[in-house]
Amino acid sequence: QVQLVESGGGAVQTGGSLRLSCKVSGRIDSVQRMGWYRQAPGKQRDMVARIFSGGYTDYEDSVKGRFTISRDNAKNTVSLQMNMLKPEDTAVYYCNAVRFPPGGYNIWGQGTQVTVSS
Protein backbone atom coordinates (compact mmCIF):
# COMPACT_ATOMS: atom_id res chain seq x y z
CA GLN A 1 0.00 0.00 0.00
CA VAL A 2 0.92 3.67 0.19
CA GLN A 3 1.21 6.36 2.82
CA LEU A 4 0.08 9.96 2.36
CA VAL A 5 1.21 13.12 4.10
CA GLU A 6 -0.47 16.44 3.33
CA SER A 7 0.92 19.92 3.79
CA GLY A 8 0.15 23.48 2.75
CA GLY A 9 -3.06 24.33 4.52
CA GLY A 10 -3.58 27.64 6.27
CA ALA A 11 -5.69 30.76 6.58
CA VAL A 12 -6.24 33.28 3.80
CA GLN A 13 -8.68 36.02 2.91
CA THR A 14 -11.26 35.83 0.17
CA GLY A 15 -9.60 35.90 -3.22
CA GLY A 16 -6.35 34.50 -1.93
CA SER A 17 -4.46 31.38 -2.98
CA LEU A 18 -3.09 28.28 -1.32
CA ARG A 19 -1.26 25.24 -2.61
CA LEU A 20 -1.77 21.87 -0.96
CA SER A 21 0.72 19.06 -1.42
CA CYS A 22 0.41 15.34 -0.81
CA LYS A 23 3.61 13.34 -0.50
CA VAL A 24 3.15 9.73 -1.54
CA SER A 25 5.37 6.94 -0.24
CA GLY A 26 5.24 3.19 -0.47
CA ARG A 27 3.99 1.31 -3.52
CA ILE A 28 3.31 4.43 -5.55
CA ASP A 29 3.33 2.46 -8.80
CA SER A 30 0.16 0.72 -7.64
CA VAL A 31 -1.89 3.92 -7.32
CA GLN A 32 -4.52 4.32 -10.03
CA ARG A 33 -6.23 7.47 -8.84
CA MET A 34 -5.28 10.35 -6.55
CA GLY A 35 -7.69 12.92 -5.28
CA TRP A 36 -8.42 15.77 -2.92
CA TYR A 37 -11.59 15.75 -0.83
CA ARG A 38 -12.86 18.21 1.75
CA GLN A 39 -15.08 18.11 4.77
CA ALA A 40 -16.63 21.15 6.40
CA PRO A 41 -17.98 20.97 9.99
CA GLY A 42 -21.24 19.05 10.12
CA LYS A 43 -21.06 18.04 6.46
CA GLN A 44 -20.03 14.95 4.55
CA ARG A 45 -16.69 14.54 2.86
CA ASP A 46 -16.94 15.56 -0.79
CA MET A 47 -14.70 15.17 -3.80
CA VAL A 48 -12.88 18.32 -4.89
CA ALA A 49 -10.55 17.09 -7.64
CA ARG A 50 -9.14 13.81 -8.91
CA ILE A 51 -6.35 12.76 -11.22
CA PHE A 52 -6.12 9.32 -12.77
CA SER A 53 -3.01 7.38 -13.69
CA GLY A 54 -3.50 8.23 -17.36
CA GLY A 55 -3.61 11.95 -16.55
CA TYR A 56 -7.35 12.49 -16.78
CA THR A 57 -8.70 14.98 -14.24
CA ASP A 58 -12.12 15.90 -12.96
CA TYR A 59 -13.37 18.58 -10.59
CA GLU A 60 -16.35 19.40 -8.45
CA ASP A 61 -18.38 22.07 -10.23
CA SER A 62 -17.84 24.86 -7.70
CA VAL A 63 -14.04 24.72 -8.02
CA LYS A 64 -13.75 24.48 -11.80
CA GLY A 65 -11.63 27.29 -13.15
CA ARG A 66 -10.25 28.05 -9.67
CA PHE A 67 -8.52 24.85 -8.55
CA THR A 68 -5.98 22.73 -10.41
CA ILE A 69 -4.82 19.25 -9.48
CA SER A 70 -1.44 18.08 -10.71
CA ARG A 71 1.17 15.48 -10.00
CA ASP A 72 4.95 15.45 -10.03
CA ASN A 73 6.08 11.88 -10.61
CA ALA A 74 9.72 12.73 -9.91
CA LYS A 75 8.79 14.03 -6.45
CA ASN A 76 5.97 11.53 -5.80
CA THR A 77 3.70 14.44 -5.03
CA VAL A 78 0.15 15.39 -5.93
CA SER A 79 -0.76 19.05 -5.51
CA LEU A 80 -3.88 21.15 -5.46
CA GLN A 81 -3.46 24.78 -6.48
CA MET A 82 -6.37 26.78 -5.13
CA ASN A 83 -6.98 30.29 -6.45
CA MET A 84 -9.76 32.82 -5.92
CA LEU A 85 -10.63 31.18 -2.63
CA LYS A 86 -14.04 31.78 -1.09
CA PRO A 87 -15.30 31.38 2.49
CA GLU A 88 -17.29 28.34 1.36
CA ASP A 89 -14.00 26.62 0.54
CA THR A 90 -13.25 26.47 4.26
CA ALA A 91 -12.83 22.82 5.27
CA VAL A 92 -10.38 20.11 6.18
CA TYR A 93 -8.82 18.87 2.96
CA TYR A 94 -7.83 15.21 2.63
CA CYS A 95 -5.56 13.53 0.12
CA ASN A 96 -6.76 10.17 -1.18
CA ALA A 97 -5.12 7.29 -3.05
CA VAL A 98 -7.07 4.51 -4.70
CA ARG A 99 -6.31 1.24 -6.37
CA PHE A 100 -9.28 -0.55 -7.91
CA PRO A 101 -10.05 -4.24 -7.31
CA PRO A 102 -8.60 -6.80 -7.38
CA GLY A 103 -6.08 -5.99 -4.71
CA GLY A 104 -7.65 -2.60 -4.25
CA TYR A 105 -7.30 -0.06 -1.47
CA ASN A 106 -8.59 3.35 -0.46
CA ILE A 107 -6.05 5.35 1.58
CA TRP A 108 -6.53 8.73 3.28
CA GLY A 109 -4.10 11.31 4.56
CA GLN A 110 -4.46 12.96 7.94
CA GLY A 111 -6.06 16.14 6.55
CA THR A 112 -5.03 19.76 6.47
CA GLN A 113 -7.17 22.75 7.47
CA VAL A 114 -8.00 25.49 4.98
CA THR A 115 -9.75 28.58 6.32
CA VAL A 116 -10.93 31.42 4.10
CA SER A 117 -12.16 34.58 5.80
CA SER A 118 -14.36 37.24 4.25
Side-chain angles (χ1 to χ4, degrees):
Q1 291 191 345
V2 299
Q3 296 80 44
L4 308 174
V5 178
E6 300 116 329
S7 61
V12 296
Q13 293 186 327
T14 298
S17 298
L18 284 173
R19 186 177 181 86
L20 306 182
S21 292
C22 178
K23 179 72 172 180
V24 185
S25 59
R27 291 194 58 192
I28 57 175
D29 59 326
S30 69
V31 178
Q32 293 176 303
R33 188 185 76 199
M34 295 290 301
W36 286 96
Y37 290 70
R38 65 187 178 188
Q39 187 168 19
K43 296 187 177 181
Q44 67 180 18
R45 189 175 298 185
D46 292 325
M47 188 275 288
V48 176
R50 301 183 299 186
I51 184 166
F52 292 75
S53 57
Y56 173 79
T57 59
D58 64 352
Y59 297 88
E60 192 270 326
D61 284 346
S62 71
V63 308
K64 288 180 180 178
R66 301 189 298 125
F67 292 9
T68 303
I69 189 170
S70 62
R71 67 186 181 199
D72 185 333
N73 292 331
K75 296 181 179 180
N76 298 333
T77 300
V78 174
S79 299
L80 184 69
Q81 178 66 42
M82 304 186 294
N83 299 327
M84 296 181 286
L85 283 161
K86 304 175 181 180
E88 51 263 44
D89 295 318
T90 296
V92 177
Y93 284 69
Y94 295 91
C95 182
N96 173 253
V98 167
R99 178 174 178 80
F100 305 116
Y105 55 74
N106 186 11
I107 307 297
W108 296 93
Q110 81 281 2
T112 185
Q113 177 71 46
V114 171
T115 302
V116 185
S117 59
S118 57

